[in-house]
Amino acid sequence: MIARITGQISQKTDYAVVMNIGGFSYEILVPAPILQRLDEYKDEKGNVTFTTYHYFQMNQSSGVPVLVGFLNEIEKDFFLQIITVSGIGPRAAVKALNKPFSEISRAISDADVNYLKTLPGIGPQKAKEIIAKLQGKVGKFGLIRDNALSVQPKAAAPDWAEEALAVLLQLQYKR
């Protein structure tokens, strides 16, 4: 079993990297939020270390070894929780985890079906299954520091005084 792997990344795709290690090239599946942060984790020689989940994808006539890479054990633990949901295998989980893990964890804890439906391959029924299986189990993953990835425009802070005044005027109070 391959627990960790360190090497130089020679190629990136949407959901994988190819690493050169001692004359061998390994394809490692990597969730999108982790791919976006790889440059922060390179050492002085340009190497990256992945904590890996190693499994065999079984076909009718053969088995193919597959590696899924994470930057730390906490991200791997979150992934392992996700694949316990019926119908979500490792490859589907890698594609579905395309937003920061902390946000996905909060959506599960808050039973936010609409947020989970925005993940690739997750429909309304699968979102409900994820919540039913994992709610109350993934709260600790909300502390993962990966929020820098979510570039969401901040809404202007509402002017509560103006809003309160408008409501009072509608209730026929005098200005």
Side-chain angles (χ1 to χ4, degrees):
M1 174 108 102
I2 300 171
R4 280 193 176 70
I5 191 165
T6 300
Q8 292 188 343
I9 296 172
S10 63
Q11 182 182 358
K12 274 188 193 179
T13 64
D14 289 342
Y15 296 106
V17 295
V18 175
M19 290 185 86
N20 292 327
I21 303 160
F24 291 97
S25 293
Y26 294 91
E27 181 183 40
I28 303 168
L29 300 178
V30 182
I34 295 170
L35 278 173
Q36 295 172 358
R37 296 188 341 237
L38 283 180
D39 291 335
E40 300 169 24
Y41 288 87
K42 287 183 180 177
D43 66 10
E44 63 277 350
K45 295 179 184 175
N47 292 329
V48 176
T49 299
F50 285 111
T51 298
T52 59
Y53 172 72
H54 186 207
Y55 77 100
F56 282 92
Q57 182 174 349
M58 300 303 292
N59 297 330
Q60 292 195 359
S61 61
S62 66
V64 177
V66 178
L67 291 173
V68 181
F70 306 95
L71 296 172
N72 56 51
E73 287 290 333
I74 297 169
E75 292 171 344
K76 179 181 173 183
D77 290 344
F78 183 69
F79 173 81
L80 293 173
Q81 289 289 324
I82 295 293
I83 63 174
T84 63
V85 176
S86 175
I88 299 181
R91 282 189 187 269
V94 167
K95 289 181 181 175
L97 297 175
N98 74 336
K99 295 188 179 176
F101 293 1
S102 59
E103 288 181 11
I104 296 170
S105 171
R106 278 190 217 105
I108 294 168
S109 295
D110 297 342
D112 188 352
V113 173
N114 291 328
Y115 182 87
L116 294 176
K117 288 190 318 186
T118 64
L119 302 175
I122 305 297
Q125 188 61 37
K126 189 61 67 185
K128 290 176 186 174
E129 288 178 34
I130 291 170
I131 290 166
K133 176 90 176 175
L134 299 179
Q135 193 173 31
K137 297 179 182 176
V138 295
K140 66 180 178 182
F141 300 109
L143 301 175
I144 296 174
R145 295 188 170 259
D146 58 0
N147 287 341
L149 301 175
S150 61
V151 180
Q152 298 175 350
K154 292 186 177 184
D159 187 2
W160 298 110
E162 288 293 324
E163 192 173 326
L165 179 62
V167 170
L168 290 171
L169 290 174
Q170 287 177 354
L171 293 172
Q172 298 182 353
Y173 282 91
K174 293 184 181 179
R175 193 173 193 67

